[in-house]
């Protein structure tokens, strides 16, 4: 490494020193490597999805529709990031803040969902992304006015829409992972977040003496919106409509059978009907379950086992 290059970069050439307009351009141009890293990363996820049926960060698709959707999403992002990297390499820097910001969101998401994957790569390209953002926000300071003529308003508009959507999606995923928003699949009681358990207790849906075996909520922002869970003695189904909460406690001793009405898919829950026996006060009650990872079948298998055990008494 020459003395001149040492002045221009630090931390093994990952961090660009900005002292003039040329430093601004070097910092922004380095973001091309972030874009190419994202291209490789999403291409790898596409290959893993094809060969193994799952990626490093997500659960296996519930069905073929979700598989094709994820394949299209990952391959599309690979092509997009490659295109943005080529644009930056050719001196078109309008996508710099979007690519760099995208990389930082990716790092946070991977730390929460799968911290054991891509640690070194995430740190390296995270440093480059921050360096590129410094260059972007230093344009005015060093009089880089020529960049305005290189702007593509179409790219800026598309980048803003895509970046906002990606950021919102990642934020929503993070809130699910940390247990703020309901999970999109059936979860076991031991994996149910304490935040959700406390919400159920506060709303009077769950009794202090209850032990949840399996749980599913179709609520988007709160588990109190609707769902069901199994305890050792009963099935509990609840829903909130126009601010009115209804809770149905169905002891296994009063359930006759379970019928699958509609098999769910990628964007649809499975619909089941719970029929009461001669000792019940209801004819049937409807129940919705998510299909991801076969969670609906796991839930129903445990429910049928409880029903069979009580019938055998």
């Amino acid at each position: 490494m020459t003395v001149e290059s040492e002045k221009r970069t630090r931390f093994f050439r990952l961090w660009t020193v900005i002292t003039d307009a040329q430093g601004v351009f070097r910092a922004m141009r380095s973001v091309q490597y972030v874009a190419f890293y994202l291209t490789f990363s999403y291409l790898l996820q596409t290959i893993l999805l094809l060969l193994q049926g799952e990626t490093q960060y997500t659960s296996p698709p519930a069905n073929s529709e979700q598989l094709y959707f994820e394949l299209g999403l990952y391959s599309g992002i690979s092509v997009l990031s490659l295109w943005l990297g080529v644009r930056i390499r050719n001196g078109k820097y309008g996508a710099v803040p979007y690519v760099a910001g995208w990389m930082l969101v990716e790092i946070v998401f991977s730390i929460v969902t799968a911290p054991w994957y891509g640690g070194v790569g995430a740190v390296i390209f995270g440093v480059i992304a921050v360096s590129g953002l410094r260059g972007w926000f230093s344009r005015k300071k060093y009089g880089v006015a020529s960049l305005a003529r290189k702007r593509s308003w179409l790219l800026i508009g598309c980048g803003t829409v895509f970046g906002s959507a990606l950021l919102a999606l990642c934020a929503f995923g993070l809130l699910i992972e940390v247990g703020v928003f309901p999970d999109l699949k059936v979860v076991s009681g031991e994996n149910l977040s304490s935040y959700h358990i406390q919400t159920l207790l506060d709303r009077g849906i769950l009794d202090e003496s209850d032990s949840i075996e399996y749980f599913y909520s179709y609520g988007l922002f709160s588990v109190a919106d609707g769902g069901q869970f199994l305890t050792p003695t009963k099935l509990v189904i609840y829903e909130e409509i126009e601010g009115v909460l209804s809770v149905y406690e169905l002891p296994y001793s009063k359930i006759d059978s379970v019928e699958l009405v509609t098999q769910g898919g990628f964007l649809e829950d499975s619909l089941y009907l719970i029929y009461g026996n001669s000792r019940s006060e209801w004819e049937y009650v409807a129940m919705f379950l998510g299909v991801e990872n076969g969670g609906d079948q796991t839930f129903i298998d445990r429910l049928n086992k409880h029903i069979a055990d009580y019938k055998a008494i």
Side-chain angles (χ1 to χ4, degrees):
M1 182 183 294
T2 64
V3 175
E4 181 65 22
S5 63
E6 288 179 347
K7 293 180 180 179
R8 292 179 177 180
T9 59
R10 293 176 182 170
F11 303 122
F12 306 99
R13 298 189 179 185
L14 301 178
W15 186 267
T16 301
V17 176
I18 301 175
T19 57
D20 53 21
Q22 290 301 315
V24 171
F25 285 115
R26 284 195 302 271
M28 292 191 296
R29 196 165 189 266
S30 67
V31 177
Q32 65 177 301
Y33 302 113
V34 175
F36 296 144
Y37 169 78
L38 290 170
T39 299
F40 171 78
S41 177
Y42 278 94
L43 183 60
L44 176 62
Q45 304 312 312
T46 304
I47 294 173
L48 289 175
L49 195 58
L50 281 170
L51 298 180
Q52 300 180 3
E54 62 180 323
T55 70
Q56 293 174 317
Y57 306 103
T58 60
S59 303
N63 47 48
S64 58
E65 289 87 353
Q66 185 177 355
L67 173 63
Y68 296 142
F69 172 79
E70 291 185 5
L71 284 173
L73 177 64
Y74 292 138
S75 58
I77 293 177
S78 297
V79 173
L80 175 63
S81 55
L82 176 62
W83 176 63
L84 294 177
V86 171
R87 285 182 61 88
I88 295 172
R89 185 177 182 84
N90 291 332
K92 299 177 180 179
Y93 303 115
V96 165
Y98 304 111
V99 174
W102 180 3
M103 184 68 226
L104 297 179
V105 171
E106 283 277 325
I107 292 173
V108 175
F109 184 77
S110 63
I111 289 174
V112 174
T113 58
W116 51 88
Y117 286 125
V120 176
V123 170
I124 290 175
F125 292 99
V127 171
I128 297 175
V130 174
S131 178
L133 284 175
R134 286 179 62 249
W136 174 265
F137 289 110
S138 298
R139 292 171 299 143
K140 185 175 181 180
K141 178 179 179 180
Y142 293 101
V144 183
S146 60
L147 184 60
R149 294 194 296 270
K150 296 184 178 181
R151 286 179 179 172
S152 168
W153 291 108
L154 177 61
L155 176 63
I156 291 174
C158 293
T160 300
V161 173
F162 178 79
S164 299
L166 181 64
L167 182 61
L169 183 62
C170 290
F172 186 72
L174 286 173
L175 290 172
I176 290 177
E177 289 294 332
V178 300
V180 176
F181 287 166
D183 209 319
L184 302 178
K185 60 180 180 293
V186 173
V187 297
S188 62
E190 60 187 16
N191 291 325
L192 186 60
S193 76
S194 58
Y195 176 80
H196 292 331
I197 292 176
Q198 190 59 50
T199 299
L200 296 173
L201 288 170
D202 292 343
R203 296 299 304 275
I205 300 170
L206 176 68
D207 296 332
E208 290 282 357
S209 58
D210 284 338
S211 174
I212 295 178
E213 296 179 338
Y214 286 100
F215 174 86
Y216 177 70
S217 172
Y218 50 78
L220 183 59
F221 299 112
S222 173
V223 294
D225 292 340
Q228 48 273 317
F229 56 86
L230 299 174
T231 76
T233 60
K234 61 189 175 183
L235 164 66
V236 178
I237 301 175
Y238 64 94
E239 60 180 355
E240 184 172 17
I241 301 177
E242 297 182 352
V244 178
L245 177 65
S246 300
V247 181
Y248 308 95
E249 296 188 352
L250 315 180
Y252 301 129
S253 59
K254 295 185 178 182
I255 299 177
D256 180 67
S257 61
V258 180
E259 178 188 359
L260 172 62
V261 178
T262 304
Q263 177 61 51
F266 177 34
L267 297 176
E268 182 182 10
D269 290 345
S270 293
L271 171 61
Y272 292 87
L273 293 182
I274 313 300
Y275 290 97
N277 56 28
S278 58
R279 290 175 291 178
S280 68
E281 299 80 25
W282 73 92
E283 181 180 355
Y284 63 84
V285 178
M287 179 176 69
F288 294 92
L289 292 172
V291 302
E292 184 175 344
N293 295 339
D296 58 336
Q297 193 58 54
T298 300
F299 192 103
I300 293 300
D301 287 346
R302 177 59 67 91
L303 174 58
N304 281 329
K305 183 179 184 305
H306 282 306
I307 296 172
D309 289 343
Y310 272 86
K311 285 183 177 180
I313 297 177

